[in-house]
Amino acid sequence: MTDFRTTPHLSVRVPVLRRNVEGMARFAAGRGIALRPHAKTHKSLDIARLQIAAGARGLTVATLGEAEVFARGGFADLFVAYPLWLDDVKARRMRALLDVAELRLGVDSVEGARRMAVAAGADATRLRVRVEVDSGHHRSGTTPARAGEVAAAAAGAGLAVEGVFTFPGHGYGPGNAARAAADESAALSAARDAVLAEGLPCPVLSGGSTPTAHHAAGSPATELRPGVYVFNDAQQLESGTCGEEAVALTAVCTVVGSRGGTVLVDAGSKVLGADRPAWTSGFGRVAGHPLARVVALSEHHATIDWGTSLHVPVPGDLLRVIPNHVCNAVNLVDELAASEDGFDAIWPVHARGRNS
Amino acid sequence: MTDFRTTPHLSVRVPVLRRNVEGMARFAAGRGIALRPHAKTHKSLDIARLQIAAGARGLTVATLGEAEVFARGGFADLFVAYPLWLDDVKARRMRALLDVAELRLGVDSVEGARRMAVAAGADATRLRVRVEVDSGHHRSGTTPARAGEVAAAAAGAGLAVEGVFTFPGHGYGPGNAARAAADESAALSAARDAVLAEGLPCPVLSGGSTPTAHHAAGSPATELRPGVYVFNDAQQLESGTCGEEAVALTAVCTVVGSRGGTVLVDAGSKVLGADRPAWTSGFGRVAGHPLARVVALSEHHATIDWGTSLHVPVPGDLLRVIPNHVCNAVNLVDELAASEDGFDAIWPVHARGRNS
């Protein structure tokens, strides 16, 4: 069991997390659309329960392994937002999941749809699928115009097509969210039209991400899938998506060196993650110290340029570092310290490492 | 238990690993110096046993948590190469370790040495310490000239000073190893002289890293601490430290998309790690395909520019991605598939996540 009396460890301010969870739920309810938060961010049954209690329709996950953990934990409405290629092992696991959950899978190609139907066999009609379209992130997803062709292949193979989805990942980074949200709206509309043109229904238009969610006025989306918003992180902070008061997770660390204005702490890439997009100011931020910059990161060291000669921390001082990408940080630990009303609970990261 | 019949997972070619382990052991023996491999790379009792069987003197680790795992696994000669700040929890754990292992700790400041002596209490004389000096990596470590002052503080506080150490981390990257190795030699010599000038013995001069080890002709080092060499990785490959035939660990992944010359696989930062030094060609390399470049990485996707229009993989094909930084990749999984003679053994990553 993690000893939270020493460092480094990941700490969650539960009141902030509750505020984030409830705020996004209220926002989705206000727009009259479904919220299906991405559980890859927290991988925690405890946090998923808070999300469902606040009104989330179901959960999004990235892998069958995550789906298995959440299904066992009692979550029956799961969407694997990934163009899975179902080898024999994954096909068996997918069919087992169909017996315990309402399972939705992503598909983004004709051959992927056919493979999925073969893998599902007699269970195909129970397998709901959503066609992934590329709205500008250029990772996975077919073009909106070809969504109809993929949907028709899936339906023709016996799968239950329920709509389309996209991930506007190009909305990360300062100033990008509004444009990506507009791209998402256009892609979902065009994809829906392409599906309808095949004579298929398209009730689900799923989009959304933490940076773009609040820029989606006029969006045709019927469902939002943000993940990071439960905790937020340094990327969201530096993108302007949130203020520091909305950051719920930090790495508590100890200063192990201090020379001139440079401070060394015992949190490195093995607890913060190594994510470092070019537009970020460093490898994370220091909570409460906006001038400080994490200028270098090793596995067990973060080097911090303190940014001022005032009150430079000394060895033994505790600091809180905000990870750049909280999803990867959480996936590094077995347990989170969840602090509320002066007490620490232990929240296991139930789906940590479930990559396949 | 990890199902190695599906993807993504980390796979070790054991014959290559054995060759790497034995090659470094022979090299150290040929130079007449001790080998103390850094176990943070593999975190595996199985691999540590191979290293000791090949002649390693003991192990290097990064945290007390790793030391505890290896001590319980029967490894009695352990060096925590880190300027630990011993809070009350760590002080208790350190003293417990002294009862089961010959424990060596790093120290790089006068205040750190005093703190360590207070933490050790009556056990101080059993606690071996080594003074860390900065040879040019500019992370932790005092200056070589001040090594004597730190050593004297440690000895004066009752600790058993046994020498000095450095990590020439600036030797990573193409063309940097020879210069960093020379810096290491100069720093270790100067630090030793500074310790001797205080009237203290300095039998241990510990240095070395995978990139610099073979550039250390004429080095005064008495001990080498390479870590990555057991597996190697894309950073070593692109630095010219090893060829692909010496890469023992890859992430086995499935192609989930293929459009034009761009291939998408199901291994992302949650199994490869997100390390991406500016001098690398991408987020990893593709084994057997030297023209391919990993141009983007998400948590569960790697986007590969195939580099040629020939034989572009299609969905369902298996590929092997070489992580940029193998230490962080291994720390993401609970188990490695260890392949030898056509059979896969399971090697647990015993010290995964032991960050404190």
Side-chain angles (χ1 to χ4, degrees):
Chain A
M1 194 174 291
T2 315
D3 191 334
F4 292 117
R5 297 166 303 168
T6 189
T7 63
H9 68 258
L10 297 186
S11 164
V12 178
R13 296 190 296 168
V14 179
V16 177
L17 177 132
R18 287 187 195 280
R19 219 155 50 225
N20 294 342
V21 165
E22 287 156 15
M24 189 63 84
R26 256 197 319 275
F27 173 75
R31 278 186 54 198
I33 64 177
L35 178 62
R36 184 184 291 281
H38 210 313
K40 74 179 167 66
T41 299
H42 54 72
K43 293 173 171 273
S44 153
L45 299 177
D46 301 285
I47 297 175
R49 283 184 200 112
L50 294 177
Q51 291 174 314
I52 298 290
R57 172 79 56 89
L59 298 176
T60 305
V61 296
T63 66
L64 286 179
E66 289 180 349
E68 288 160 348
V69 169
F70 285 100
R72 275 198 299 273
F75 298 88
D77 182 349
L78 300 169
F79 172 35
V80 186
Y82 195 89
L84 290 179
W85 186 263
L86 294 169
D87 58 30
D88 292 347
V89 170
K90 287 201 173 83
R92 266 197 303 280
R93 291 167 56 196
M94 180 271 284
R95 290 198 305 267
L97 273 165
L98 278 177
D99 290 334
V100 294
E102 195 168 290
L103 186 67
R104 300 163 160 82
L105 300 187
V107 63
D108 75 346
S109 68
V110 169
E111 65 266 41
R114 289 184 184 143
R115 174 80 184 193
M116 201 167 276
V118 169
D123 294 321
T125 55
R126 291 200 290 153
L127 182 56
R128 293 162 177 82
V129 299
R130 297 166 166 202
V131 177
E132 181 173 7
V133 294
D134 178 9
S135 53
H137 186 38
H138 305 323
R139 185 178 69 181
S140 44
T142 188
T143 59
R146 298 192 63 184
E149 182 186 337
V150 176
L159 299 165
V161 177
E162 63 175 20
V164 297
F165 78 105
T166 191
F167 174 61
H170 56 313
Y172 283 67
N176 293 337
R179 181 175 54 83
D183 291 345
E184 175 191 296
S185 292
L188 289 177
S189 292
R192 177 194 51 198
D193 293 347
V195 173
L196 295 177
E198 296 286 335
L200 293 167
C202 191
V204 175
L205 306 180
S206 177
S209 67
T210 296
T212 57
H214 291 272
H215 291 272
S219 165
T222 64
E223 178 182 288
L224 275 181
R225 303 189 322 278
V228 169
Y229 77 98
V230 292
F231 299 128
N232 287 311
D233 57 20
Q235 284 191 79
Q236 301 305 324
L237 196 61
E238 297 199 336
S239 294
T241 305
C242 72
E244 198 179 310
E245 76 291 346
V247 173
L249 182 145
T250 52
V252 182
C253 53
T254 299
V255 175
V256 298
S258 181
R259 290 182 178 83
T262 301
V263 175
L264 194 69
V265 299
D266 64 359
S269 58
K270 280 181 173 167
V271 71
L272 295 169
D275 292 79
R276 203 323 195 176
W279 53 267
T280 55
S281 74
F283 292 90
R285 290 289 287 263
V286 184
H289 299 283
L291 299 179
R293 290 290 175 271
V294 183
V295 294
L297 199 69
S298 308
E299 286 158 66
H300 300 277
H301 308 73
T303 305
I304 302 171
D305 178 339
W306 198 244
T308 163
S309 59
L310 295 173
H311 311 298
V312 182
V314 296
D317 286 353
L318 294 180
L319 291 175
R320 289 179 175 269
V321 175
I322 304 169
N324 265 349
H325 185 185
V326 73
C327 309
N328 276 336
V330 169
N331 186 49
L332 290 164
V333 301
D334 293 309
E335 293 167 327
L336 303 169
S339 302
E340 188 163 32
D341 298 331
F343 291 94
D344 276 359
I346 291 176
W347 282 354
V349 183
H350 299 95
R352 190 202 59 70
R354 298 296 177 126
N355 289 315
S356 74
Chain B
M1 192 174 290
T2 315
D3 190 334
F4 292 116
R5 296 166 305 167
T6 189
T7 63
H9 68 259
L10 298 186
S11 164
V12 178
R13 295 191 294 169
V14 179
V16 177
L17 177 132
R18 289 187 194 280
R19 220 158 46 226
N20 294 342
V21 165
E22 287 157 15
M24 189 64 84
R26 256 198 317 276
F27 172 76
R31 280 185 53 197
I33 65 178
L35 177 62
R36 184 184 292 280
H38 210 313
K40 75 178 165 66
T41 299
H42 55 71
K43 293 174 172 272
S44 153
L45 299 177
D46 301 285
I47 297 175
R49 283 185 201 112
L50 294 178
Q51 291 175 314
I52 297 291
R57 172 78 56 88
L59 299 177
T60 304
V61 295
T63 66
L64 286 179
E66 289 180 347
E68 287 160 348
V69 169
F70 284 100
R72 275 200 297 274
F75 298 88
D77 182 348
L78 299 169
F79 171 35
V80 185
Y82 195 88
L84 291 179
W85 186 265
L86 294 168
D87 58 30
D88 292 347
V89 170
K90 286 201 173 84
R92 266 198 303 279
R93 290 166 57 197
M94 180 272 284
R95 290 197 305 268
L97 272 166
L98 278 177
D99 290 335
V100 293
E102 194 168 290
L103 186 67
R104 300 163 161 82
L105 299 187
V107 64
D108 74 348
S109 69
V110 168
E111 65 267 41
R114 288 183 185 144
R115 173 80 183 193
M116 201 166 275
V118 169
D123 294 320
T125 54
R126 291 200 289 154
L127 181 56
R128 293 162 176 81
V129 299
R130 296 166 167 203
V131 177
E132 181 173 8
V133 295
D134 178 8
S135 52
H137 186 39
H138 306 321
R139 186 178 69 181
S140 45
T142 189
T143 59
R146 299 191 62 184
E149 183 185 335
V150 177
L159 299 165
V161 177
E162 61 175 22
V164 295
F165 76 104
T166 191
F167 173 62
H170 57 311
Y172 282 67
N176 293 336
R179 182 177 53 84
D183 290 345
E184 174 191 297
S185 292
L188 289 176
S189 292
R192 176 194 51 199
D193 292 348
V195 173
L196 295 176
E198 295 287 334
L200 293 166
C202 191
V204 174
L205 305 180
S206 176
S209 67
T210 296
T212 56
H214 291 272
H215 291 272
S219 164
T222 64
E223 179 181 285
L224 275 182
R225 302 190 322 279
V228 170
Y229 78 98
V230 291
F231 298 128
N232 288 308
D233 58 19
Q235 284 192 78
Q236 300 305 322
L237 196 60
E238 297 200 336
S239 293
T241 304
C242 72
E244 200 180 306
E245 76 291 346
V247 173
L249 182 144
T250 52
V252 182
C253 53
T254 298
V255 174
V256 297
S258 181
R259 289 180 179 84
T262 301
V263 176
L264 194 69
V265 298
D266 64 358
S269 58
K270 280 180 173 167
V271 70
L272 295 169
D275 293 78
R276 206 313 198 182
W279 54 267
T280 55
S281 73
F283 292 90
R285 290 290 287 265
V286 184
H289 299 282
L291 299 179
R293 290 291 175 270
V294 184
V295 293
L297 199 69
S298 308
E299 287 158 66
H300 300 278
H301 309 72
T303 304
I304 302 172
D305 177 341
W306 198 246
T308 163
S309 59
L310 295 172
H311 311 300
V312 181
V314 295
D317 285 353
L318 294 180
L319 291 176
R320 291 178 173 270
V321 175
I322 305 168
N324 265 350
H325 185 185
V326 73
C327 308
N328 276 335
V330 169
N331 186 49
L332 290 163
V333 300
D334 293 309
E335 293 167 325
L336 303 169
S339 302
E340 188 164 29
D341 297 332
F343 291 94
D344 275 359
I346 292 176
W347 281 354
V349 184
H350 299 93
R352 191 202 56 73
R354 299 294 178 127
N355 288 315
S356 72

